[in-house]
Amino acid sequence: TDLLWTFGHFYSSLTATVIFYHSGGSVQGILLDIEGTTTPIHFVYQALFPFVRAHLKDYLRHYADSEELQRDLSLLREEYVKDMEPGLAPPEWTDADVDAQIESVARYVFWLMDRDRKSTGLKSLQGKIWQQGYMTGNLKSQVFPDVPPALEYWKNRNLDVRIFSSGSVLAQRLLFANTEVGDLTHFLGGYFDTRIGAKADLESYCKIANQFRLPAAELLFISDMTAELDAAKHAGMRTLLCVRPGNLPQREKHGHGVICSFSEIVW
């Protein structure tokens, strides 16, 4: 029997609580969220998103004939039609001349970003724009200082560590390949995005467990969002709420252990 000791500081009261996990089986796989878990939220909102806003139109113009871009635009066009149905009043989409289309696509993309929409088409397009930034060296991604040593430690213990984020798989790979401390992708066994399902959907975690080829009870999911953790827990996974600087406050009562650093997880 393995004992997973998780020292979590839970600030719903004046006294920090030490939380212990005990289970009949060992953790064989770890599933990680990115934003607010491995990576500071401010990097996403102050670096990645502004980079898209600054370079979107140039990208649309330069890669207008790209089949991959056209697939993203088709997904966005389908989403736009759905947004029109409930009367959300998105900015007008036009398929007229190229310049007019670029302007309308940009307005709709910015509208989606303003609403933090977890859109597959949007995330795919963002990933391609970020790829250009990483290739030119204009972007370097950030992870919290405890992340690289934890990934190395888990790799040395033969744990299967994977990522689940609303960002596209491409964006996830790029982020971990281009960090300020080097390429971390060799520590990771796989990536999941919204194509497998929504992050607050129980079924997403059932599918992910199947992809791991492990019982859900042998998987630990770490995220900064309790709604995601709730879904994973209902799917049978073990869960930890990650509290980082700049994270949005979560509801006070929940059934998850709490950590402030991956270094607090000790086997």
Side-chain angles (χ1 to χ4, degrees):
T1 301
D2 283 5
L3 183 64
L4 171 60
W5 290 40
T6 304
F7 299 93
H9 299 288
F10 182 59
Y11 293 103
S12 62
S13 65
L14 295 178
T15 304
T17 302
V18 178
I19 303 170
F20 301 89
Y21 281 91
H22 181 274
S23 67
S26 62
V27 169
Q28 299 296 324
I30 298 177
L31 183 65
L32 299 173
D33 169 56
I34 292 181
E35 182 183 320
T37 301
T38 67
T39 298
I41 286 179
H42 70 76
F43 171 71
V44 176
Y45 286 91
Q46 296 177 20
L48 290 182
F49 287 174
F51 190 88
V52 170
R53 291 180 182 273
H55 297 277
L56 173 61
K57 292 180 184 179
D58 286 342
Y59 184 86
L60 293 174
R61 189 170 289 107
H62 187 75
Y63 293 94
D65 297 328
S66 164
E67 291 184 6
E68 290 187 0
L69 174 58
Q70 291 306 315
R71 281 195 291 270
D72 291 342
L73 294 181
S74 293
L75 290 173
L76 288 169
R77 185 71 170 81
E78 292 172 7
E79 188 165 0
Y80 170 81
V81 171
K82 292 178 182 177
D83 282 337
M84 290 295 292
E85 293 174 357
L88 295 177
E92 183 181 2
W93 182 295
T94 177
D95 291 315
D97 62 89
V98 174
D99 288 338
Q101 185 185 45
I102 287 173
E103 289 295 329
S104 70
V105 169
R107 285 194 297 270
Y108 182 57
V109 166
F110 296 157
W111 185 83
L112 292 174
M113 291 175 64
D114 289 341
R115 286 151 182 77
D116 200 18
R117 181 78 64 83
K118 309 304 182 184
S119 159
T120 299
L122 170 64
K123 297 301 180 180
S124 179
L125 178 57
Q126 287 175 330
K128 293 179 178 66
I129 296 172
W130 291 328
Q131 184 175 35
Q132 301 300 310
Y134 288 121
M135 288 174 60
T136 60
N138 290 324
L139 278 179
K140 278 290 182 184
S141 55
Q142 297 177 15
V143 293
F144 290 106
D146 56 279
V147 172
L151 293 180
E152 183 176 10
Y153 174 70
W154 294 335
K155 181 75 170 181
N156 291 338
R157 290 186 60 84
N158 296 315
L159 294 173
D160 187 354
V161 182
R162 306 190 189 191
I163 305 297
F164 185 25
S165 172
S166 58
S168 67
V169 166
L170 172 62
Q172 296 174 39
R173 286 196 182 111
L174 290 167
L175 188 148
F176 287 101
N178 296 277
T179 78
E180 294 173 338
V181 294
D183 186 351
L184 302 177
T185 56
H186 55 286
F187 296 126
L188 301 172
Y191 308 85
F192 304 98
D193 60 20
T194 53
R195 288 177 296 180
I196 205 161
K199 294 193 71 183
D201 188 345
L202 180 152
E203 186 61 28
S204 301
Y205 298 91
C206 295
K207 292 177 181 178
I208 286 173
N210 288 335
Q211 292 284 326
F212 268 95
R213 299 185 181 230
L214 289 170
E218 295 182 5
L219 296 174
L220 170 65
F221 179 47
I222 307 174
S223 173
D224 66 318
M225 300 298 292
T226 53
E228 299 170 5
L229 295 169
D230 290 345
K233 189 172 185 178
H234 289 146
M237 293 184 185
R238 288 176 246 190
T239 56
L240 288 173
L241 176 66
C242 194
V243 178
R244 300 285 199 178
N247 283 13
L248 296 173
Q250 301 297 296
R251 65 177 187 267
E252 291 186 2
K253 294 182 179 179
H254 57 78
H256 312 288
V258 180
I259 59 169
C260 300
S261 167
F262 290 173
S263 64
E264 297 170 20
I265 305 171
V266 181
W267 275 270

